Amino acid sequence: MVAILSELRTDRLILRPVRADDLPAALEIHTDPRTNLHNPTPHTDQDVPETLEGWLEHWSAHGFGYCAVQLPASGEIIGFGGLRTLHLGDEVALNLYYRFRPSAWGYGYAPEMARAVIEWAQRAVPGTPIVIITSVGNGPAIRVAEKLGFRKFREGDYGGAFSAFFRFP
């Protein structure tokens, strides 16, 4: 699956491909204990560089992936989110991911970012299912999934957490 995403803009956000120099922002966001409340294996200073490298490899292989989410006026990275390929059994799907700085919570940035990448995916890779997988206890992520029109299709273990699996449409 090769589809090219260069940059997306919404009314309030810029979504651009991640770069190696995004590491400081990735470390800040992904190692903040508040962003790991529902993560059974919280990110550490040691694994975030490897995570970012995996994101960069996905971009290289597929032409899309998780994005740095920036505020246009300041250029500040307030989060990361986007789509990556995911194998669920025999099916290839797109995993929708979002993680934002706690200071960006409550402004509707996650659904705004998600709508932009969902619209892109419907044009670029039509017919490919989009999924969100989150801990069953992660109420904010579940509310975002439901707000976007995702429907829960199963529950089960994912990455060491009892998780809810959502599908769009």
Side-chain angles (χ1 to χ4, degrees):
M1 174 183 324
V2 177
I4 306 299
L5 185 150
S6 55
E7 178 179 283
L8 296 174
R9 289 182 176 255
T10 70
D11 289 342
R12 303 180 298 161
L13 304 171
I14 297 171
L15 286 63
R16 61 149 176 86
V18 292
R19 304 184 304 239
D21 65 349
D22 292 330
L23 182 58
L27 281 164
E28 283 180 42
I29 293 167
H30 287 83
T31 62
D32 186 317
R34 295 168 293 177
T35 69
N36 283 285
L37 291 175
H38 303 283
N39 189 347
T41 53
H43 289 282
T44 67
D45 290 344
Q46 291 73 40
D47 69 32
V48 172
E50 184 177 307
T51 297
L52 181 60
E53 183 60 34
W55 294 354
L56 293 167
E57 289 171 5
H58 189 277
W59 273 96
S60 179
H62 299 280
F64 67 93
Y66 296 159
C67 299
V69 181
Q70 295 179 293
L71 295 176
S74 65
E76 176 190 11
I77 295 174
I78 60 167
F80 293 91
L83 299 165
R84 282 183 59 173
T85 56
L86 174 71
H87 295 274
L88 288 175
D90 295 343
E91 182 178 47
V92 175
L94 299 173
N95 183 62
L96 175 58
Y97 172 81
Y98 38 91
R99 185 169 297 214
F100 288 82
R101 295 180 185 279
S103 62
W105 294 353
Y107 294 95
Y109 293 135
E112 185 173 335
M113 178 280 311
R115 281 186 194 98
V117 297
I118 290 168
E119 288 172 9
W120 172 84
Q122 289 177 317
R123 290 187 311 272
V125 285
T128 306
I130 301 170
V131 298
I132 294 172
I133 304 169
T134 189
S135 166
V136 295
N138 190 344
I142 291 170
R143 282 191 296 280
V144 168
E146 291 170 343
K147 182 184 288 187
L148 294 166
F150 281 72
R151 300 287 178 245
K152 185 163 55 169
F153 68 96
R154 77 174 198 224
E155 291 183 343
D157 182 70
Y158 185 79
F162 189 63
S163 299
F165 292 68
F166 293 84
R167 180 184 300 266
F168 182 88

